Amino acid sequence: MNNDIVWSKVLKVIKEKVSSLTYETNFKETELYKLDNNKAYIIVPFPFLKINLKNLHNDTITSILYDVTGTNYELVFLLKDEIEEEEEVINKDNLEEDIKDNLEISNLPHQSNLNPKYTFDNFMVGNSNKFAHAAAVSVAENPGTMYNPFFIYGNSGVGKTHLMHAIGNYIQENSNKKVLYITSEQFRDDFVKATRKDESGTNFNYVDLFKGKYKNIDVLIIDDIQFLGGAKKSQEEFFHTFTNLFNNQKQIIISSDRSPDDLKMLEERLLTRFVWGLMVDISPPDYNLKINIIKNKIKAGDFESDIPDEVIEYIASNIGPDVRHLEGAINRLIAYATMWGNKEINLDLAIEALKDNISKGIGEKNDIHRIQKIVAEYYQISVEDLKSKKRSAIISLPRQVAYYLCRNMTTESFPKIGIEFGGKDHTTVMYAVEKIEKEIKVNKDLANTIEKLKKDIGVVK
């Protein structure tokens, strides 16, 4: 049985046995790393949870794990940074079994890999993602015919993965289409395994399994396509997979942390195809959307403790735009209150609990306009000069520096930066950023200026 399935079943039983507060605080963020030699290795997010789970819940977990697996395991609790990276070694004798497990051979039930908790119903919509959400709904209602491929890009933690799963879940619930969600790393790993030879000295069987997995589907959702960069053969295989699905009017949904224009490590022929359909970007959530996201997370968590509005506003103002960080702040706050005997949650407690989560200046919006203002003041010119078409050296260098800082200290795309500088073409911005990147390697004075401006801006990326 798959480790994720095992642990999902264990958590389901635990959730029924303990209070919602205890579950959210102690169990929700745990993962089953592996079952090996009668030991169950469980990943926990915080050091104090190792003690909590060992001292307070060890017997409960052991008993439930035995009911699920039929084996009595000794529990080992680990932090993620305690897990050493292990080199995957596949024994020749069980290679075929491993390949079959990972490539879902045709006589096994189709697995979509979708997370059922990510739906359109619980996706919070605001100004930063309104267009992406509307486009995603259109794709879900008309797979293969409306916006194909559908390319979503934006910084980590802005909701790309949630939106992709929501599309897949909607299609599965409203049709008989086969949906497959994978990351680009999973695609690459599957392809690498498919190229290995079996005992007969060929890889025909494994190639057939690979092609069956990726070509006998109706919807392919692939996350973080940027990680295919540098994997030339995997890119070539993805090109053929993409072409086959597209020609057969199968829906393709792709996400990345940057636009196709910025994916320099991917082949041009892939990038060309990515823009055939519709590209949408998701910007970091603004303050109001962060408030709604936090409230939704609290509601979904069904916490037994009330969280006042002033605490919610404090979190929204002081935690960055990554939705995962917002959720982590809520969980830390609840855990902190629990550790102090279910102490009442108020603003003072929130400030104390989250002091390590808040970096200097993180609450101050670090946007293009602010950077323009600081750069203009430093070079003793006006913001209007930066946005103008003037090309004199006294203006050009500050403008290029501002481009560079905007690209490196915000999550904005090249086109967005160009727009904010008087409608400059995105290629102009790209060229300037590359020029500054090269120049600071050889020009110590410019490098020092950049570092000073970064400190003035407040948050070094």
Side-chain angles (χ1 to χ4, degrees):
M1 191 182 299
N2 181 281
N3 285 345
D4 290 341
I5 296 175
V6 169
W7 198 240
S8 177
K9 290 183 177 182
V10 171
L11 290 181
K12 183 178 180 181
V13 177
I14 290 175
K15 193 171 186 178
E16 295 171 354
K17 287 181 174 289
V18 302
S19 69
S20 59
L21 179 60
T22 298
Y23 178 81
E24 294 288 335
T25 304
N26 294 280
F27 296 98
K28 184 178 179 181
E29 299 298 318
T30 60
E31 301 172 39
L32 178 59
Y33 175 51
K34 65 179 178 179
L35 299 172
D36 186 38
N37 292 329
N38 291 324
K39 290 185 178 181
Y41 295 83
I42 299 167
I43 302 173
V44 298
F46 309 115
F48 75 84
L49 281 184
K50 294 171 65 176
I51 301 173
N52 272 19
L53 294 174
K54 183 67 176 177
N55 294 342
L56 302 177
H57 304 288
N58 192 84
D59 292 343
T60 299
I61 299 172
T62 301
S63 175
I64 296 172
L65 191 56
Y66 176 82
D67 291 339
V68 172
T69 64
T71 302
N72 191 22
Y73 288 101
E74 176 187 351
L75 304 185
V76 180
F77 300 100
L78 300 168
L79 297 173
K80 283 189 176 180
D81 58 8
E82 293 175 328
I83 299 173
E84 296 183 0
E85 292 185 3
E86 297 181 350
E87 181 180 0
E88 182 180 10
V89 179
I90 301 178
N91 190 290
K92 185 176 181 180
D93 292 336
N94 62 17
L95 176 60
E96 182 172 353
E97 180 180 351
D98 181 72
I99 296 292
K100 289 179 179 179
D101 287 343
N102 285 281
L103 298 182
E104 301 172 5
I105 55 177
S106 58
N107 63 337
L108 292 178
H110 171 72
Q111 294 181 359
S112 66
N113 301 327
L114 292 170
N115 189 331
K117 77 176 184 179
Y118 292 136
T119 67
F120 287 124
D121 290 337
N122 58 24
F123 183 84
M124 304 305 296
V125 181
N127 292 329
S128 63
N129 60 21
K130 187 180 298 182
F131 177 62
H133 173 265
V137 171
S138 296
V139 171
E141 292 176 340
N142 305 277
T145 60
M146 181 69 74
Y147 309 135
N148 195 24
F150 184 48
F151 192 101
I152 311 172
Y153 66 96
N155 202 37
S156 175
V158 296
K160 302 187 300 296
T161 298
H162 186 145
L163 209 52
M164 296 173 83
H165 281 275
I167 296 172
N169 284 319
Y170 183 94
I171 293 173
Q172 276 201 157
E173 291 170 7
N174 293 277
S175 72
N176 59 359
K177 294 183 181 296
K178 286 185 177 182
V179 180
L180 176 63
Y181 167 87
I182 56 159
T183 64
S184 62
E185 292 102 323
Q186 289 171 323
F187 180 89
R188 185 180 60 203
D189 289 346
D190 284 350
F191 174 68
V192 170
K193 290 172 184 175
T195 61
R196 296 178 179 176
K197 293 180 172 58
D198 59 21
E199 293 180 352
S200 68
T202 69
N203 65 343
F204 299 143
N205 291 333
Y206 304 143
V207 170
D208 288 342
L209 292 173
F210 178 87
K211 293 184 181 298
K213 176 176 181 177
Y214 288 100
K215 295 186 179 179
N216 294 328
I217 54 175
D218 301 296
V219 181
L220 174 62
I221 304 174
I222 183 163
D223 213 347
D224 290 325
I225 194 68
Q226 71 271 9
F227 292 125
L228 274 187
K232 194 168 185 179
K233 291 184 177 179
S234 295
Q235 287 185 52
E236 182 176 352
E237 183 58 38
F238 183 71
F239 170 80
H240 295 307
T241 300
F242 180 104
T243 302
N244 178 73
L245 292 173
F246 183 85
N247 290 342
N248 287 283
Q249 295 187 305
K250 308 298 186 181
Q251 181 67 51
I252 304 165
I253 303 166
I254 303 167
S255 83
S256 173
D257 64 352
R258 65 204 79 169
S259 73
D261 289 335
D262 299 334
L263 293 171
K264 298 179 181 179
M265 293 293 288
L266 295 184
E267 293 183 2
E268 184 64 30
R269 60 177 180 172
L270 273 179
L271 300 179
T272 299
R273 282 156 177 75
F274 291 166
V275 301
W276 280 354
L278 177 66
M279 295 186 299
V280 298
D281 69 313
I282 303 180
S283 301
D286 57 22
Y287 175 78
N288 290 330
L289 181 54
K290 286 165 70 175
I291 290 286
N292 291 334
I293 290 172
I294 294 168
K295 289 182 176 180
N296 185 61
K297 295 293 183 184
I298 294 171
K299 181 180 178 181
D302 192 25
F303 297 119
E304 294 177 356
S305 301
D306 291 330
I307 300 182
D309 285 344
E310 64 176 356
V311 172
I312 295 173
E313 291 167 1
Y314 175 77
I315 295 173
S317 299
N318 291 280
I319 301 297
D322 190 319
V323 175
R324 299 183 189 93
H325 291 170
L326 295 175
E327 185 172 4
I330 299 167
N331 291 334
R332 180 176 176 84
L333 179 59
I334 296 294
Y336 194 86
T338 303
M339 291 295 293
W340 288 98
N342 292 326
K343 193 172 183 180
E344 178 188 0
I345 296 177
N346 55 33
L347 183 57
D348 290 338
L349 182 72
I351 293 172
E352 175 64 24
L354 302 177
K355 62 183 179 181
D356 294 333
N357 293 52
I358 297 170
S359 301
K360 179 183 177 182
I362 199 168
E364 188 174 6
K365 192 175 181 185
N366 198 27
D367 61 9
I368 292 175
H369 302 290
R370 182 164 172 268
I371 292 173
Q372 287 174 332
K373 183 173 180 293
I374 290 173
V375 171
E377 288 176 352
Y378 179 83
Y379 283 100
Q380 298 183 345
I381 59 176
S382 68
V383 172
E384 287 69 28
D385 286 331
L386 290 177
K387 295 181 178 181
S388 71
K389 296 182 178 180
K390 298 176 182 178
R391 297 186 177 182
S392 61
I394 197 172
I395 304 297
S396 294
L397 177 60
R399 183 185 295 134
Q400 291 170 351
V401 168
Y403 286 156
Y404 172 83
L405 292 169
C406 287
R407 181 59 181 167
N408 282 269
M409 301 190 72
T410 76
T411 58
E412 302 293 1
S413 63
F414 286 124
K416 172 66 173 176
I417 295 171
I419 290 171
E420 295 295 339
F421 279 80
K424 303 295 191 300
D425 187 87
H426 75 278
T427 57
T428 300
V429 181
M430 288 175 62
Y431 173 79
V433 170
E434 290 175 358
K435 181 179 178 181
I436 295 297
E437 286 175 346
K438 294 177 182 177
E439 186 67 19
I440 59 178
K441 293 178 181 179
V442 297
N443 187 331
K444 186 175 181 180
D445 290 339
L446 179 59
N448 290 337
T449 297
I450 295 288
E451 289 305 311
K452 182 184 185 310
L453 287 168
K454 284 183 176 181
K455 290 179 181 179
D456 290 342
I457 292 165
V459 182
V460 179
K461 183 177 176 181

